[in-house]
Amino acid sequence: MKKRFFSLFTEDKGSVLVEAAFIFTFLSILTVGLLEYGTLLVLKSQVERVNYSIASVIRERSELYGKNDAFTSSELKELYELSKVLTYHRYDKELCIRVESVHFKAQQKKVISHQQSQDYGSSLCNKLNTAPISKKIEFSPLSSRNRWLPMYQVSLIIPTPTSSFNNLLKKVDALPETVSAHALLLVR
């Protein structure tokens, strides 16, 4: 009996099967992890493209909304609806958009005349960690007409997809909870 018990550790029969089981399990977990990470990269790319599209609409706002510098909540709702369409309505309930603007007085020294910030959508905008636009006014240039160009900052945030493996990766901080994109732009 003793001899048979010790022979389990010294015999080579079946060792290939055991090693293959460990390797297959490891490769399976690695493959699923890579797929989850790839999905995150595709999602990040989509959010950046949608955010850039929204920023392009805002950049051309004088053509679309007239000469009004301040944006209204109905305009922000239109941008929100556009972003829902551009994300194929996959994140309708969780999507959040933030638009900030800063305008300057018509003088040589850069002085803020009007500043605005509005969120629309879910409460995920509270998780945005970008600096307010008032801290970025040094990026506004003086135009050839001797005026400081107004600036806008557009931020879009959505949660990452949920799956059991994705949730596990989020708990160990291998994947983020949300995906966001930000664009700082000057109006034409």
Side-chain angles (χ1 to χ4, degrees):
M1 175 80 172
K2 236 182 199 186
K3 187 176 183 182
R4 185 177 172 152
F5 180 73
F6 287 115
S7 69
L8 289 176
F9 296 107
T10 58
E11 286 190 24
D12 290 339
K13 291 181 184 176
S15 65
V16 173
L17 184 64
V18 172
E19 291 170 1
F22 282 121
I23 290 173
F24 180 73
T25 303
F26 175 73
L27 289 177
S28 297
I29 291 171
L30 185 65
T31 303
V32 171
L34 288 173
L35 286 173
E36 292 288 340
Y37 191 70
T39 304
L40 177 71
L41 291 177
V42 168
L43 180 63
K44 177 72 172 166
S45 175
Q46 181 186 19
V47 169
E48 287 176 353
R49 283 192 318 268
V50 169
N51 194 52
Y52 182 75
S53 298
I54 299 297
S56 297
V57 170
I58 290 176
R59 177 177 286 139
E60 303 296 338
R61 67 177 282 102
S62 62
E63 295 297 321
L64 298 171
Y65 298 111
K67 298 292 182 187
N68 187 12
D69 286 336
F71 53 88
T72 64
S73 58
S74 63
E75 292 171 359
L76 190 59
K77 183 177 186 226
E78 289 174 5
L79 293 173
Y80 176 75
E81 294 298 325
L82 177 61
S83 61
K84 283 180 12 180
V85 169
L86 292 174
T87 58
Y88 307 108
H89 295 282
R90 285 186 284 204
Y91 311 102
D92 284 356
K93 294 180 182 171
E94 298 95 1
L95 184 103
C96 186
I97 185 170
R98 175 181 289 167
V99 179
E100 299 173 81
S101 69
V102 64
H103 304 278
F104 304 99
K105 293 182 180 177
Q107 57 188 21
Q108 280 300 105
K109 188 177 179 192
K110 198 182 289 188
V111 177
I112 296 175
S113 66
H114 178 69
Q115 184 176 347
Q116 192 176 7
S117 177
Q118 284 188 3
D119 296 347
Y120 199 90
S122 71
S123 62
L124 278 179
C125 279
N126 297 334
K127 293 186 177 186
L128 285 171
N129 56 359
T130 58
I133 197 166
S134 60
K135 302 239 187 251
K136 300 175 182 177
I137 62 172
E138 70 269 6
F139 297 118
S140 176
L142 187 63
S143 73
S144 59
R145 292 184 284 175
N146 249 2
R147 70 179 184 102
W148 296 101
L149 294 179
M151 292 180 12
Y152 289 87
Q153 180 170 282
V154 182
S155 301
L156 183 69
I157 187 169
I158 60 172
T160 54
T162 56
S163 69
S164 56
F165 195 71
N166 199 337
N167 289 337
L168 176 67
L169 291 174
K170 286 178 190 176
K171 287 181 183 174
V172 296
D173 289 332
L175 288 179
E177 294 283 330
T178 59
V179 175
S180 60
H182 316 282
L184 187 64
L185 55 123
L186 301 169
V187 177
R188 293 186 187 187

